[in-house]
Amino acid sequence: LLGLPIGRWADRGNRRNIIVMGVALWSAMTCFCGMAKSFTVLFLARVGVGVGEAALSPPAHSLLSDYFKPERLPLVFAFYTSAIIVGSGFAYLIGGQLYEYFESLDTLRVPFVGEIKPWQATFMAVGLPGILMALLMLTIKEPVRQGRGVCIESLENNNDSNLLDHDIPEHGIPEHEEIKSIPLNEVFAYLYKRKKVYLSLIVGVSLLSILGYATMAWYPEFLQRTFAMERRVAGIRFGQLFIVAGLIGSLILAFTTYWYSKRGVVDINMRIVFIVACAEFIPATIAPLMPNADAALAVASIVIALQYGYFGIAISALQIITPNEMRAQVSAILLFSTNILGLIVGPTIVALMTDYLFKGDENLYLSLSLTSAIFAPLAAWVLWYGLSSYKDLYNEAMIRNNAA
């Protein structure tokens, strides 16, 4: 929820500093989780982690969009979102081993806290490096905002002579100049008039995220229940697969998008996301139905490559068509939607199907398969609905950028 006002703050404030504060906050709150002595304290600390995380991507998306040209954004955001792939993969690889290491020690004591348990030590160990990352962020410069001052309302009439509120410096609005926020009702009015594209992209990506979060949450458990794989082995194998397949998919899709973008295919960003939704249907549906663990992981590698390769492209699709004055806010809306649908619905619907539809823990594989069979085609249909209108918003954005 706090990503939305933070996104609005980022559209007029210093984005670098917002990111520094966010990273420092969620790292400190992660460490604080390790100091929790009750459920209430742990819950509040986890809320603090979420607030800190909400301050990263909206300003980061806007900041990167000012650093790089539109045709390069698929590559830029593929590199940026690869951190999710690498981080998630290493969480599977080292998370359990780190816990086992602390569990092997006799007694764990922390100054001013006292004796702690292995799970608490694990929280502290993964939280402390984030403080250093926050300090490193201070070495990044806040870029000059490009294309600000555009009169959005005048675009409704396509009157090129009225595209500017005032004269814009050749290289954009300098950082030291006051930046005025667009009233919130105007932001929503702008998005509502173009709802076919914005709703299609945001909802379509959110439906795809249901598959991604369901796979990430349940696949190691599926390997254990269906093929009797040891928990540690399942985590290591899935983590390795997650990193390799995710990075390969991210690079291939990003370079493909960049190649077609350079050749004038203006809707390639949204088109690639639509193609991913179509291509995921068969492998995501059959992967849990494979007869052995090796086959299940092999087919899952295709799903992971597609699932974690498209998100950076989807971000670039939104950033390109959105005025600078509201880019962080639109990113915040996207992330809010993917979290609500993906992070909450994805893992939960698999659990509900397993308990109430298929009635047995051993039938987890059927729940994973059915979830993919439902949501991949649904995401493809939603994305197809807005695809034909994306070119119009792209051309509108180019007029806006050239004017500024």
Side-chain angles (χ1 to χ4, degrees), residues 63-79:
L63 183 146
L64 290 171
S65 297
D66 280 334
Y67 263 120
F68 299 95
K69 295 179 179 179
E71 63 268 20
R72 291 187 176 272
L73 288 183
L75 297 175
V76 171
F77 285 117
F79 185 77

Side-chain angles (χ1 to χ4, degrees), residues 181-247:
S181 293
I182 297 177
L184 199 56
N185 63 322
E186 290 186 21
V187 173
F188 285 120
Y190 180 86
L191 298 178
Y192 181 78
K193 184 153 189 179
R194 297 152 182 82
K195 61 182 178 295
K196 187 173 182 180
V197 173
Y198 279 103
L199 276 177
S200 177
L201 256 174
I202 292 172
V203 175
V205 169
S206 299
L207 290 170
L208 280 177
S209 73
I210 291 176
L211 273 68
Y213 281 114
T215 301
M216 190 165 63
W218 286 110
Y219 220 78
E221 187 69 22
F222 149 72
L223 294 172
Q224 297 169 56
R225 294 186 188 182
T226 304
F227 303 114
M229 188 179 290
E230 291 182 15
R231 183 176 299 274
R232 183 180 63 85
V233 175
I236 291 174
R237 292 195 63 181
F238 187 71
Q240 291 170 336
L241 182 70
F242 200 91
I243 293 173
V244 174
L247 289 177

Side-chain angles (χ1 to χ4, degrees), residues 219 223 227 237 286-301:
Y219 220 78
L223 294 172
F227 303 114
R237 292 195 63 181
I286 68 173
L289 306 178
M290 290 293 100
N292 56 66
D294 290 336
L297 286 167
V299 179
S301 67

Side-chain angles (χ1 to χ4, degrees), residues 248-266:
I248 290 174
S250 183
L251 290 173
I252 290 176
L253 290 177
F255 276 104
T256 300
T257 305
Y258 176 68
W259 192 87
Y260 279 102
S261 178
K262 292 286 286 184
R263 282 151 183 79
V265 184
V266 298

